[in-house]
């Protein structure tokens, strides 16, 4: 189980796939560990050296205490964590695929360190995931009642009704994943999303970009994915049918069918 000193934190990661293949960095979403990518790994690791990691305060990666001034982590801080991981592993450049907050981290990386990003995949994300008042309400609710209390509602945003009914054990497992995220990690990242506005940064992205969204995603709906694709020069949008916010779990084969050809095209 690999851990590495990456900047100021110890990061839990996995590096799989053929040595020498192009590196694909996967950045996960709020309240998930890197296991959120498990169902697409067989397809991805056949073509790429896949680097997955747990974001600050998630999975087995260190959490750091929240600043006393009421601010949280930030997208630049989380992007610096990803760069520190690449540096620690001696990886100069990678394809980057980010899910939700991971997609915000990926946008920031592509905009600020284009020399480190080959192709970019932005999955169920946006340049602005608001409104801030909704995040403030969620943060207050978590401080009052704990993460386990929000887990059922989170499942309702992540997965379609049909999928939740079909896979009750999976829902239980993902609810546990949310509930067991560190409080500082979840709140710090929630505040990072609340406070981020990447609309100006998106317009400066030069990496070839694919935006992907589940057709039933209520958190970052197809219209906001279309707005993101329109804001990034040359970006294209793919909509995954019968999927909500986490297509890598709900429709892994359909996701791989659009992701792999985009990253391998000449
Ligand atoms: O958990 C949610 O509500 C959806 C979400 C927004 C940012 C993120 O990473 O997940």
């Amino acid at each position: 189980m690999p851990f590495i000193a990456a900047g100021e934190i110890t990061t839990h990661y996995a590096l799989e796939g053929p040595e020498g293949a192009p590196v694909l960095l996967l950045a996960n979403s709020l309240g998930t560990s890197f296991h959120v990518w498990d169902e697409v790994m067989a397809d991805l690791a056949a073509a790429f050296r896949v680097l997955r990691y747990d974001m600050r305060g998630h999975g087995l990666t260190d959490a750091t205490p929240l600043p006393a001034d009421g601010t949280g982590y930030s997208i630049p801080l989380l992007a610096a964590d990803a760069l520190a991981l690449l540096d620690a592993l001696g990886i100069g450049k990678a394809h980057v695929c980010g899910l939700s907050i991971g997609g915000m981290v990926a946008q920031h990386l592509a905009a600020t360190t284009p020399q480190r990003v080959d192709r970019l995949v932005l999955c169920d994300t946006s340049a602005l995931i608001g409104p801030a008042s909704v995040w403030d309400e969620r943060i207050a609710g978590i401080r009052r009642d704990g993460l386990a209390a929000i887990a059922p509602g989170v499942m309702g945003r992540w997965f379609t009704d049909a999928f939740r009914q079909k896979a009750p054990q999976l829902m239980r497992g993902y609810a546990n994943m949310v509930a067991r995220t560190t409080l500082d990690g979840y709140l710090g990242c929630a505040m990072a999303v609340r406070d981020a506005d990447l609309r100006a940064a998106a317009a400066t992205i030069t990496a070839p970009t694919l935006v992907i969204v589940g057709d039933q995603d209520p958190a970052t709906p197809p219209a906001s994915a279309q707005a993101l694709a329109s804001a990034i020069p040359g970006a294209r949008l793919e909509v995954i049918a019968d999927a909500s916010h986490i297509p890598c779990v709900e429709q892994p084969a359909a996701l791989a069918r659009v992701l792999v050809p985009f990253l391998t095209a000449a």
Side-chain angles (χ1 to χ4, degrees):
M1 197 159 26
F3 295 91
I4 198 163
E8 52 156 353
I9 59 172
T10 293
T11 294
H12 178 224
Y13 74 98
L15 189 53
E16 296 150 88
E19 276 182 46
V23 176
L24 169 59
L25 174 70
L26 300 177
N28 45 284
S29 58
L30 181 64
T32 65
S33 75
F34 69 52
H35 287 295
V36 75
W37 302 102
D38 280 357
E39 301 302 320
V40 278
M41 278 307 293
D43 285 320
L44 298 184
F48 306 103
R49 185 96 167 130
V50 184
L51 174 58
R52 302 187 276 171
Y53 73 104
D54 291 336
M55 203 168 279
R56 185 181 287 244
H58 287 64
L60 300 178
T61 291
D62 279 346
T64 49
L66 298 181
D69 64 1
T71 59
Y73 303 161
S74 68
I75 297 300
L77 175 74
L78 298 170
D81 289 346
L83 283 180
L85 176 63
L86 292 176
D87 289 344
L89 293 169
I91 296 166
K93 193 169 190 175
H95 298 310
V96 180
C97 171
L99 173 66
S100 203
I101 186 177
M104 295 182 121
V105 168
Q107 289 170 64
H108 184 84
L109 286 175
T112 58
T113 53
Q115 72 283 7
R116 307 297 296 269
V117 177
D118 197 340
R119 295 184 191 185
L120 181 65
V121 180
L122 302 174
C123 197
D124 296 79
T125 188
S126 183
L128 179 72
I129 306 179
S133 58
V134 168
W135 288 105
D136 285 335
E137 276 167 33
R138 192 189 303 192
I139 288 161
I142 294 166
R143 286 197 196 282
R144 192 182 55 240
D145 303 324
L147 274 168
I150 65 155
V154 169
M155 295 307 105
R157 279 193 303 278
W158 284 4
F159 304 110
T160 62
D161 290 347
F163 190 69
R164 279 186 288 136
Q165 275 160 27
K166 204 173 67 187
Q169 274 68 44
L170 207 61
M171 292 310 104
R172 184 79 182 263
Y174 274 97
N176 287 342
M177 196 184 269
V178 170
R180 293 175 193 176
T181 303
T182 70
L183 199 56
D184 281 345
Y186 193 98
L187 293 177
C189 288
M191 288 187 241
V193 174
R194 177 196 64 189
D195 298 339
D197 183 348
L198 294 155
R199 286 176 294 182
T204 70
I205 291 174
T206 52
T209 302
L210 176 65
V211 178
I212 299 174
V213 69
D215 64 348
Q216 296 172 49
D217 183 349
T220 52
S224 74
Q226 178 59 68
L228 179 61
S230 301
I232 299 173
R236 171 165 81 73
L237 175 69
E238 287 279 356
V239 180
I240 306 283
D242 303 319
S244 186
H245 190 59
I246 316 274
C248 51
V249 172
E250 191 160 1
Q251 296 293 347
L255 179 69
R257 269 198 301 276
V258 294
L259 211 163
V260 174
F262 170 73
L263 293 178
T264 53

